[in-house]
């Protein structure tokens, strides 16, 4: 902070690196900035050559024992039977070893190339920056010092930078410091580090260091990768080979000793031990060859080959199913899986949300087509329509951005995009009240409070709070609602019951529900949070996240293979149960349980419940960790 103040704060730094908060940098300066400050890349570990995979394959204990046996067999065979007949046994073992090594090395090498391509695809991360006065979507590799980066919940910070302004920015620095407690970033503590994650809020950041010059880059340069553990199958194979080798060695030694003792006794009784001939030496070599043959026969040279070929076949089958396996041995590890735990949003579902139903003015309607939107427009009172559009467009983290080619794109989280796009369709050509107000205060979505709020100033000098979030939270905050005539009327108990029934019916149809409410105020306090009571309910949105094609068949295939599929999610219990039933995860004998309920059980009750749990609800923050 002392150094920052010495340079004139964030404003002083921006002037020195020729970047402005509203316009960012000029695209024409990119090459110059990269030459001066470096590029936003980390040096990659050099890819492994094919011969390195061959060397790794040769480290197998079974193969090492076989190589020793092959060498001894070849030497003894040449001494006893001559060339080429004496080479046959040793050469056969060597060819078997080479086949195992080449199959393993080629499979692993091909997979490493595919994983390299996959890693390159994964690294194609795009972020939003302001350049030349317009918001643009660029690759993190094109980021340079001076760029103005837009951060929101869930983003990973792509470079070191300084906080410009934002709303309730909470950063998870556990990857850097090891501390699990998140850090609030503000003007008093403006330093944001690469590699950390945005846990809450949103902000604009000015990049001050990229690539290996960031704190994350310096940390990466000091790290080294650890070795890999052997899989259970490799451990068992090595154990079997070692035991068989030891047993073979014991019996080979005993055989050699018995033959030698018998030979010496016979020689002593006939010609005496003092006289030795060349035929005696050849006899002893033959005895030694017999002992080596016992060892060679005992160690199963076909076992590693059979295992390698079966794993290679399993890898090929997995590749046909679009599954990449980095090492052959992973096929065996995957084969021992008995349970698959999966998320819901984005994994079982497409994570492309659309508003499917809406409840407004005591009317519930499906809004999947243009005709239904027109019907909704005709049903809603103009005042109510203005309130709805105002709540949608003002209380949102989504943004309508004009691309360079002139097309308009909605940016934001899937849920926010769905509601914003619905608002754009509903608005049509109307120039409603939603455009005649100014934002005064913003509270971004918070996973603990499960809501977001905004305070806007109206032309008449008053203020209006809009709050949007989880249905159970917003409805609890409301004591009034908008009726069919567009008037704000007290919410009776019967109406509250109907609203809760509507929310449950939406959730039972696998819809995620969000409520929108507002509250008129004459004044506000800068230091206080948004109100938690006295709101008027405007509408309930039912947002659909369709199940991915093929998920139901995949779950069925897992079930038939004896693998239990469980859903772990932080979503609404009814929505998750509906999706789980649609996918085939939640069966008749399955249990859906929430985290607090499960934790309150005794260990004995937990042991009884666990085998039948199919859907588990954890808080979103706990689930992320």
């Amino acid at each position: 902070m002392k150094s920052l103040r010495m340079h004139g704060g964030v404003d002083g730094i921006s002037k020195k690196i020729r970047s402005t908060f509203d316009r960012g940098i000029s695209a024409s300066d990119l090459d110059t900035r990269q030459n001066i400050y470096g590029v936003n890349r980390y040096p990659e570990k050099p890819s492994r050559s094919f011969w390195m995979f061959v060397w790794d394959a040769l480290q197998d204990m079974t193969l090492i024992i076989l190589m020793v046996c092959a060498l001894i067999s070849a030497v003894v065979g040449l001494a006893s039977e001559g060339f080429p007949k004496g080479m046959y046994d040793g050469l056969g073992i060597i060819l078997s070893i080479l086949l195992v090594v080449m199959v393993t090395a080629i499979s692993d090498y091909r997979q490493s190339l595919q994983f390299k391509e996959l890693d390159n695809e994964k690294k194609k991360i795009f972020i939003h920056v302001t350049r030349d006065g317009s918001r643009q979507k660029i690759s993190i590799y094109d980021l340079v010092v001076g760029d103005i980066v837009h951060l929101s919940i869930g983003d990973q910070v792509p470079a070191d930078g300084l906080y410009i302004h934002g709303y309730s920015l909470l950063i998870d620095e556990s990857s850097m410091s090891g501390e699990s407690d998140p850090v609030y970033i503000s003007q008093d503590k403006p330093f944001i580090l690469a590699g950390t994650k945005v846990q809450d809020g949103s902000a604009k950041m000015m990049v001050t260091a990229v690539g290996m010059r960031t704190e994350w880059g310096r940390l990466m340069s000091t790290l080294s990768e650890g070795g890999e553990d052997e899989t259970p199958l490799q451990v068992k194979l090595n154990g079997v080979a070692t035991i068989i080798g030891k047993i073979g060695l014991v019996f080979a030694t005993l055989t050699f000793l018995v033959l030698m003792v018998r030979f010496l006794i016979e020689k002593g009784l006939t010609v005496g031990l003092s006289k030795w001939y060349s035929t005696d030496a050849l006899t002893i070599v033959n005895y030694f060859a017999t002992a080596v043959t016992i060892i060679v026969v005992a160690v199963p040279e076909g076992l590693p080959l059979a295992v390698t070929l079966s794993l290679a076949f399993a890898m090929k089958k997995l590749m046909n199913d679009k599954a990449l396996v980095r090492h052959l041995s992973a096929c065996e590890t995957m084969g021992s899986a008995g349970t698959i735990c999966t998320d819901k949003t984005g994994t079982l579902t497409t994570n492309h949300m659309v508003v499917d139903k809406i409840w407004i003015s005591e009317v519930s309607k499906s809004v999947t087509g243009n005709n239904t939107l027109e019907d909704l427009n005709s049903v809603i009172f103009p005042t109510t329509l203005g309130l709805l559009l105002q709540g949608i467009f003002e209380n949102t983290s989504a943004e309508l951005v004009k691309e360079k080619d002139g097309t308009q794109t909605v940016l934001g989280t899937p849920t926010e995009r769905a509601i914003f796009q619905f608002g754009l369709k509903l608005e049509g050509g109307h120039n409603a009240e939603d455009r005649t107000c100014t934002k005064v205060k913003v509270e971004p979505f918070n996973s603990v409070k499960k809501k977001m709020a905004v305070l806007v100033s109206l032309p008449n000098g008053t203020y209006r709070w809009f709050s949007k979030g989880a249905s159970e939270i917003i409805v609890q905050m409301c004591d009034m609602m908008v009726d069919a005539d567009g008037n704000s009327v007290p919410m009776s108990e019967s109406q509250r019951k109907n609203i809760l029934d509507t929310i449950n019916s939406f959730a039972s149809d696998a819809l995620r529900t969000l409520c929108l409410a507002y509250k008129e105020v004459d004044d506000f306090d800068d230091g206080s949070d948004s109100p938690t009571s006295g709101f008027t309910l405007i509408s309930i949105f039912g947002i659909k996240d369709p199940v991915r094609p093929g998920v139901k068949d995949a779950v069925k295939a897992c079930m038939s293979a004896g693998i239990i599929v469980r859903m772990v999610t932080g979503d609404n219990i009814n929505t998750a149960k509906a999706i789980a039933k649609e996918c085939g995860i939640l069966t008749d004998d399955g249990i859906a349980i929430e985290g607090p309920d499960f934790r309150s059980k005794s260990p004995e009750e937990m042991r009884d419940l666990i085998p039948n749990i199919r859907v588990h609800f954890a808080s979103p923050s706990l689930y992320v960790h």
Side-chain angles (χ1 to χ4, degrees), residues 402-454:
K402 191 173 184 180
E403 303 287 350
K404 287 186 175 181
D405 58 2
T407 59
Q408 289 186 326
T409 307
V410 178
L411 301 176
T413 63
T415 304
E416 290 294 299
R417 284 205 311 268
I419 295 175
F420 198 92
Q421 287 168 343
F422 168 74
L424 290 174
K425 288 180 181 177
L426 188 62
E427 182 185 36
H430 297 285
N431 187 15
E433 189 185 350
D434 61 285
R435 305 302 189 197
T436 59
C437 57
T438 308
K439 286 184 184 179
V440 177
K441 189 176 181 180
V442 175
E443 288 184 8
F445 178 81
N446 184 294
S447 59
V448 177
K449 296 179 181 177
K450 293 186 177 181
K451 66 184 179 73
M452 61 190 298
V454 64

Side-chain angles (χ1 to χ4, degrees), residues 317-391:
K317 293 282 286 180
L318 284 167
M319 286 173 62
N320 293 338
D321 291 336
K322 306 293 187 295
L324 293 179
V325 182
R326 194 182 294 273
H327 298 292
L328 272 180
S329 53
C331 297
E332 172 258 333
T333 311
M334 291 168 65
S336 62
T339 297
I340 295 175
C341 291
T342 175
D343 184 24
K344 180 181 74 67
T345 306
T347 306
L348 299 175
T349 59
T350 60
N351 202 23
H352 181 74
M353 307 249 183
V354 290
V355 176
D356 188 72
K357 289 183 179 179
I358 185 173
W359 176 94
I360 188 168
S361 300
E362 301 183 87
V363 177
S364 180
K365 290 190 73 70
S366 174
V367 288
T368 50
N370 291 328
N371 292 335
T372 52
L373 282 174
E374 291 174 7
D375 293 343
L376 190 63
N377 252 321
S378 61
V379 170
I380 300 176
F381 205 78
T383 311
T384 310
L385 178 63
L387 274 173
L388 178 64
L389 293 174
Q390 192 179 59

Side-chain angles (χ1 to χ4, degrees), residues 13-32:
I13 295 290
S14 70
K15 290 174 183 175
K16 290 185 177 184
I17 61 175
R18 297 184 182 181
S19 175
T20 58
F21 299 154
D22 56 342
R23 293 192 58 80
I25 63 169
S26 172
S28 59
D29 297 339
L30 292 180
D31 292 337
T32 307

Side-chain angles (χ1 to χ4, degrees), residues 179-200:
E179 297 294 332
S180 58
D181 293 333
V183 178
Y184 275 103
I185 303 296
S186 62
Q187 302 288 355
D188 299 326
K189 190 178 181 181
F191 303 104
I192 306 175
L193 302 178
T196 59
K197 287 192 175 181
V198 181
Q199 191 165 316
D200 203 359

Side-chain angles (χ1 to χ4, degrees), residues 381-590:
F381 205 78
T383 311
T384 310
L385 178 63
L387 274 173
L388 178 64
L389 293 174
Q390 192 179 59
I392 289 173
F393 293 127
E394 295 300 333
N395 188 24
T396 183
S397 60
E399 185 178 354
L400 188 64
V401 178
K402 191 173 184 180
E403 303 287 350
K404 287 186 175 181
D405 58 2
T407 59
Q408 289 186 326
T409 307
V410 178
L411 301 176
T413 63
T415 304
E416 290 294 299
R417 284 205 311 268
I419 295 175
F420 198 92
Q421 287 168 343
F422 168 74
L424 290 174
K425 288 180 181 177
L426 188 62
E427 182 185 36
H430 297 285
N431 187 15
E433 189 185 350
D434 61 285
R435 305 302 189 197
T436 59
C437 57
T438 308
K439 286 184 184 179
V440 177
K441 189 176 181 180
V442 175
E443 288 184 8
F445 178 81
N446 184 294
S447 59
V448 177
K449 296 179 181 177
K450 293 186 177 181
K451 66 184 179 73
M452 61 190 298
V454 64
L455 179 68
V456 298
S457 63
L458 303 177
N460 60 8
T462 60
Y463 299 93
R464 182 179 288 161
W465 278 104
F466 283 102
S467 191
K468 179 178 70 187
S471 304
E472 63 273 15
I473 304 296
I474 302 298
V475 171
Q476 198 174 2
M477 293 164 47
C478 296
D479 52 20
M480 302 184 78
M481 58 176 284
V482 178
D483 66 4
D485 298 324
N487 300 317
S488 181
V489 296
M491 188 187 298
S492 65
E493 283 304 314
S494 62
Q495 288 171 325
R496 184 179 294 274
K497 185 179 180 302
N498 290 336
I499 289 168
L500 293 174
D501 290 342
T502 301
I503 292 170
N504 289 330
S505 70
F506 280 12
S508 299
D509 292 337
L511 301 179
R512 176 179 291 181
T513 59
L514 287 177
C515 288
L516 178 64
Y518 80 99
K519 180 180 182 179
E520 305 276 2
V521 291
D522 295 326
D523 203 357
F524 71 97
D525 182 7
D526 278 328
S528 62
D529 293 335
S530 61
T532 56
S533 61
F535 277 82
T536 302
L537 183 66
I538 302 172
S539 65
I540 304 168
F541 298 103
I543 302 170
K544 188 172 186 178
D545 188 6
V547 173
R548 283 184 184 275
V551 164
K552 195 170 182 178
D553 293 335
V555 171
K556 189 177 180 181
C558 289
M559 296 286 194
S560 63
I563 300 171
I564 299 171
V565 182
R566 308 179 200 269
M567 179 196 290
V568 184
T569 180
D571 210 342
N572 177 277
I573 185 167
N574 292 321
T575 307
K577 283 168 71 174
I579 292 287
K581 284 179 180 176
E582 188 176 345
C583 297
I585 293 173
L586 186 59
T587 52
D588 294 336
D589 58 343

